[in-house]
Amino acid sequence: MIKRLFASALMCLTLFTAQADEGMWLPSLIGSRIKDMRSKGFKLSAEDIYSVNKASLKDAVVQFGGGCTGEFLSAEGLLLTNHHCGYGSIQSLSSVEHDYLTYGYWAKSRGEELPVPGLTVSLLVKMEEVTDRLAAGEKAEDIIAAARAEGKGYRASIEQMYYGNQQFLFVYQTYRDVRLVGAPPSSIGKFGGETDNWIWPRHTGDFSIWRVYAGEDNEPAEYSTSNKPYEPKRHFTVSTKGVDEGDFTMIYGFPGNTQEYVISDAVEYVATTSDPMKIALRTQRLDIISAAQAKSAEVRIAYAAIYSGIANSWKKWQGEVLGLNRLRTAEKKRAYEQEFNKWAQSKPEYANLLDEMHKAYDEVIPEYYMRELFSESIATIDAYSFARSLVAAIARAEGEGKTYDVETAHQNFLKNYNQEIDQAIARRMVDEFCQRVDPERMPADLKAQISYYGGAEKYVDAMFRSSRLLGKDPITLSDVRGDALVNFVRIFDKIYTKSRQYAFRNLSNAPQIEQYYRPYMRALREWDKDRAFYPDANFTLRVAYGTVAGYEYADAEYHHPVSTIDGIMAKDDPNVYDYNIPQVLRDIYAKKDYGRWAQEIYGKKSVPVCFLATNHTSGGNSGSPVINGKGELIGINFDRTWRSTMSDMEFDPSICRNISVDIRYVLFIIDRIGGASYLFDEMTLK
């Protein structure tokens, strides 16, 4: 008994004592961390990182697209982010005749930079705590409206920190004219594909180059040939000196989602229920798409971004389950909760808090799981999504006394629709839904249809054969009303409606649960005074810092922190799409003709490709600038190691590592592969 109690106390200590290099800190409050940052090698001030009174590093960082980070490289709007962040946009510009995904793209002049309709970047204008203002009675909508009125292209939101114990106003300025300047071929930008994803050593040149354009007044403007390159208040100086183990690193970006303070119920749900289900379903979808891509270049291009999007989280979840189980995170949290409960018993406002939280999870988990199962199965069928959107559009039009043009919608859908792939996915997903759904929640009409046709897959085949929505012949409103696919949509109406009620960032954000986290976070900060608290990531600008470091992957297996071009050549395979590097790179390597980019690495002449560091990152940090102690750009963050992916719930400093492409490799590719060294003329290189 004594040993068990000691073990529990030790687990609490190792999990929740302030960890080196853990944390995603709010830039406006970074002053509290400067002393620690300087002890690790940072040379600048808090105001250099974030200021509203003068240009600071925040002005060189942007939200790129819908979920990544980017950074300015020049005073002329030149922007750097990951290749995978720009992947969808590069795909949209590609065709079989102009396959920029496979062969890359390099604009030789401003006139050749390619506009991407719908692509945006947003700059943080300011962040401001408004907790007291809201408590005093000001309305959130009034605060937001006033902030938006302050500038052209402004948008604003109030974001919750520590589950609502603090509220911050974030004001952004959004630019809508963004153009592709350069992208390496996918065999560099996505070298290793999904095989190497989340893996170290990594050899991926994960970068792409863009330019932001503005109107004559440097303010946001819709695309126009008369627009001028945007002039940022600040851009990064690029260091060509490289990195060594132990060097300071800082990441400045928009991490999307962490759950560092959730209780054991949430961890157990992720590790034993949610992730395993999602992994299994995505495996089947990926297998179907991959087999089709192998047969057709056109399909490979059309499904490239789709496949990548499915696979990224799929592999991340696998590492997350392994990490949570290896660290025994749920067990450690239970021990931590026991210690908290002892303290809370003398505090009437907290005494029953954990009991209420456990009950809330028991209530919500069945509904949340149903939403996740539906989202990962039925909702992934393209034909279902089209039919559902068509029914909704018709209903809206009729509600307004209008007639909806169903045939135009039908033809637009068919332009990019692949029935063979979608039907194969539908057969598997309907069957998986039926196997995994709680029998009491199985729609009666679905059960009847499957029984009538003799199985889920036979039912799907019959539905796809008979649906006029998938045929090339013109359709009318009457065709829609009785269509087999529309009936399929109606079978899931109740489930779809219910699932929308549980469309939260995480299970713990369901209102029935989240209401308890506000007092729980307040209680933790009262009780655990030695813990370094930072707000969970929620796609707001954060600072993370650490050092360049390798790690012990397994017993007697140490992974060095820098990978080189030699590793690329060791994997090079002309018969494998993801490893078939450009011939020019083979020629450069054969002659060791690295030019100014040659480095002495591990005792031999080579070119650095990627490096590891101990920064705490998450999804959304893709494309984030990695800077040294002087504030100079040394890399672009793009991944974590596979054994680090549980860091969204528990950060293990011994093994959690982020992966960045070395800026010297980026410059090497621009110069020697892209032939675009003219871009260096507008950069500040040191």
Side-chain angles (χ1 to χ4, degrees):
M1 176 63 74
I2 292 173
K3 287 182 179 179
R4 285 200 298 271
L5 289 173
F6 177 76
S8 294
L10 181 61
M11 282 191 289
C12 290
L13 180 65
T14 56
L15 178 58
F16 297 114
T17 302
Q19 303 283 15
D21 302 336
E22 178 183 359
M24 299 175 175
W25 310 98
L26 290 169
S28 62
L29 304 178
I30 199 63
S32 65
R33 307 301 305 178
I34 285 295
K35 183 177 180 181
D36 188 51
M37 294 173 72
R38 284 184 171 157
S39 73
K40 291 178 168 65
F42 189 60
K43 307 297 184 185
L44 305 181
S45 68
E47 196 171 23
D48 289 320
I49 295 174
Y50 176 89
S51 176
V52 293
N53 300 313
K54 67 174 188 177
S56 61
L57 293 179
K58 83 165 175 63
D59 299 308
V61 182
V62 305
Q63 284 183 336
F64 182 89
C68 284
T69 305
E71 52 273 2
F72 286 115
L73 284 184
S74 81
E76 299 172 75
L78 198 66
L79 188 74
L80 196 61
T81 188
N82 287 152
H83 184 270
H84 78 259
C85 291
Y87 199 71
S89 294
I90 299 169
Q91 180 203 30
S92 71
L93 297 170
S94 296
S95 63
V96 174
E97 294 77 20
H98 300 285
D99 189 353
Y100 302 138
L101 284 179
T102 298
Y103 301 109
Y105 180 80
W106 303 95
K108 301 304 181 183
S109 67
R110 298 278 170 89
E112 292 185 3
E113 295 173 358
L114 303 177
V116 184
L119 180 60
T120 65
V121 302
S122 295
L123 291 77
L124 179 68
V125 177
K126 66 177 180 178
M127 58 180 295
E128 173 188 337
E129 186 170 4
V130 293
T131 310
D132 292 341
R133 291 170 62 184
L134 291 169
E138 280 194 69
K139 294 182 178 179
E141 55 267 33
D142 292 340
I143 295 174
I144 290 171
R148 290 179 61 187
E150 291 178 2
K152 186 177 181 180
Y154 276 21
R155 63 179 175 86
S157 62
I158 293 177
E159 304 294 343
Q160 306 298 309
M161 307 295 166
Y162 302 113
Y163 291 92
N165 282 288
Q166 288 179 275
Q167 289 109 0
F168 281 78
L169 171 71
F170 288 83
V171 183
Y172 302 89
Q173 189 171 39
T174 299
Y175 285 78
R176 302 186 180 280
D177 186 353
V178 184
R179 307 180 194 181
L180 176 64
V181 176
S186 285
S187 54
I188 290 175
K190 261 181 75 69
F191 181 82
E194 295 310 320
T195 303
D196 284 5
N197 194 17
W198 304 99
I199 299 297
W200 185 261
R202 198 70 174 275
H203 303 90
T204 309
D206 197 349
F207 77 94
S208 54
I209 308 171
W210 310 78
R211 195 182 303 279
V212 180
Y213 282 77
E216 289 287 348
D217 54 1
N218 208 41
E219 296 291 323
E222 296 298 327
Y223 169 78
S224 170
T225 55
S226 64
N227 284 347
K228 306 296 184 184
Y230 170 69
E231 299 175 9
K233 295 178 182 177
R234 182 79 175 256
H235 68 274
F236 283 104
T237 295
V238 178
S239 171
T240 60
K241 296 181 175 61
V243 300
D244 291 313
E245 191 153 12
D247 284 355
F248 175 87
T249 59
M250 176 182 130
I251 284 185
Y252 212 163
F254 294 88
N257 184 26
T258 59
Q259 304 179 72
E260 300 292 339
Y261 307 107
V262 292
I263 63 174
S264 54
D265 304 62
V267 177
E268 288 175 340
Y269 174 74
V270 166
T272 65
T273 303
S274 176
D275 280 4
M277 177 269 290
K278 293 184 290 188
I279 291 165
L281 295 185
R282 290 199 176 200
T283 298
Q284 296 184 57
R285 290 164 59 201
L286 288 170
D287 287 346
I288 291 167
I289 294 171
S290 180
Q293 286 179 309
K295 299 175 183 177
S296 164
E298 186 176 0
V299 172
R300 174 178 52 76
I301 294 170
Y303 276 81
I306 296 170
Y307 185 96
S308 181
I310 297 169
N312 191 53
S313 295
W314 166 78
K315 196 165 186 178
K316 183 258 188 183
W317 291 327
Q318 294 175 60
E320 184 172 63
V321 171
L322 290 172
L324 293 174
N325 290 337
R326 177 181 62 83
L327 292 173
R328 297 187 294 171
T329 302
E331 184 179 348
K332 284 188 279 190
K333 281 188 175 284
R334 281 193 294 271
Y336 186 73
E337 291 157 20
Q338 289 174 8
E339 295 302 311
F340 168 80
N341 244 346
K342 292 177 185 177
W343 171 84
Q345 294 314 301
S346 62
K347 309 288 189 298
E349 66 271 37
Y350 304 135
N352 299 313
L353 187 55
L354 278 174
D355 290 339
E356 294 299 322
M357 295 176 80
H358 294 317
K359 291 177 184 176
Y361 275 103
D362 289 342
E363 173 191 340
V364 172
I365 281 175
E367 298 294 347
Y368 193 79
Y369 174 78
M370 188 66 172
R371 173 194 175 269
E372 289 201 305
L373 174 60
F374 173 75
S375 297
E376 290 289 334
S377 58
I378 305 303
T380 68
I381 302 168
D382 290 339
Y384 166 83
S385 297
F386 169 61
R388 180 170 56 76
S389 65
L390 192 61
V391 169
I394 291 169
R396 283 194 301 271
E398 290 179 343
E400 298 170 359
K402 301 176 182 177
T403 301
Y404 185 72
D405 186 353
V406 296
E407 176 55 18
T408 297
H410 173 229
Q411 292 303 323
N412 287 338
F413 169 70
L414 292 180
K415 286 178 184 177
N416 299 306
Y417 181 62
N418 187 309
Q419 181 171 334
E420 182 180 355
I421 293 175
D422 193 39
Q423 187 168 339
I425 288 174
R427 296 172 88 232
R428 296 304 314 131
M429 292 303 100
V430 173
D431 187 59
E432 286 288 338
F433 176 85
C434 295
Q435 291 183 43
R436 295 174 183 274
V437 70
D438 182 337
E440 294 183 1
R441 294 171 178 262
M442 177 76 164
D445 289 346
L446 179 63
K447 187 175 181 179
Q449 292 283 4
I450 290 172
S451 176
Y452 176 80
Y453 284 100
E457 295 190 354
K458 290 182 179 179
Y459 163 55
V460 169
D461 288 343
M463 175 173 61
F464 272 68
R465 279 196 308 270
S466 63
S467 175
R468 293 200 63 180
L469 302 189
L470 305 182
K472 294 181 180 180
D473 293 337
I475 62 171
T476 64
L477 191 59
S478 61
D479 292 326
V480 174
R481 297 196 190 283
D483 193 83
L485 265 176
V486 173
N487 290 333
F488 182 68
V489 167
R490 287 172 180 149
I491 286 173
F492 291 95
D493 272 349
K494 290 183 180 179
I495 292 175
Y496 170 74
T497 301
K498 191 80 169 181
S499 73
R500 296 186 69 185
Q501 298 172 19
Y502 286 84
F504 313 115
R505 180 183 290 117
N506 300 300
L507 166 65
S508 303
N509 298 117
Q512 304 96 308
I513 297 172
E514 192 175 53
Q515 63 178 321
Y516 298 110
Y517 271 105
R518 187 168 186 174
Y520 182 62
M521 287 303 308
R522 191 163 57 243
L524 288 186
R525 297 172 82 177
E526 288 179 27
W527 168 60
D528 196 353
K529 296 186 182 299
D530 292 330
R531 186 172 181 180
F533 287 93
Y534 52 89
D536 273 323
N538 57 1
F539 203 48
T540 56
L541 191 60
R542 303 295 179 90
V543 171
Y545 61 92
T547 55
V548 175
Y551 69 105
E552 187 173 5
Y553 179 80
D555 182 45
E557 185 180 341
Y558 184 77
H559 283 193
H560 291 285
V562 178
S563 65
T564 71
I565 195 172
D566 301 272
I568 294 175
M569 302 312 300
K571 296 177 180 178
D572 177 32
D573 187 342
N575 298 313
V576 179
Y577 178 78
D578 290 324
Y579 294 105
N580 182 19
I581 64 173
Q583 183 60 42
V584 63
L585 186 55
R586 297 188 185 105
D587 295 341
I588 290 171
Y589 182 78
K591 298 176 183 178
K592 300 296 186 288
D593 183 21
Y594 305 141
R596 64 183 290 193
W597 314 112
Q599 303 286 325
E600 188 76 14
I601 304 174
Y602 306 136
K604 62 181 177 180
K605 180 182 177 182
S606 193
V607 176
V609 177
C610 298
F611 64 88
L612 294 174
T614 61
N615 305 99
H616 193 176
T617 63
S618 183
N621 273 128
S622 291
S624 294
V626 186
I627 66 175
N628 62 19
K630 298 178 182 179
E632 300 165 342
L633 187 68
I634 56 174
I636 317 165
N637 180 75
F638 70 91
D639 210 351
R640 285 172 282 175
T641 57
W642 201 40
R643 298 185 67 185
S644 300
T645 56
M646 77 292 170
S647 64
D648 289 346
M649 287 189 147
E650 180 180 356
F651 185 88
D652 178 1
S654 70
I655 205 167
C656 284
R657 298 291 183 269
N658 66 293
I659 307 175
S660 304
V661 58
D662 194 302
I663 198 64
R664 294 169 295 175
Y665 185 60
V666 173
L667 298 174
F668 168 79
I669 296 298
I670 292 172
D671 182 17
R672 305 307 303 276
I673 306 299
S677 58
Y678 76 91
L679 293 172
F680 299 159
D681 295 339
E682 61 181 284
M683 299 182 196
T684 306
L685 303 180
K686 275 194 176 181

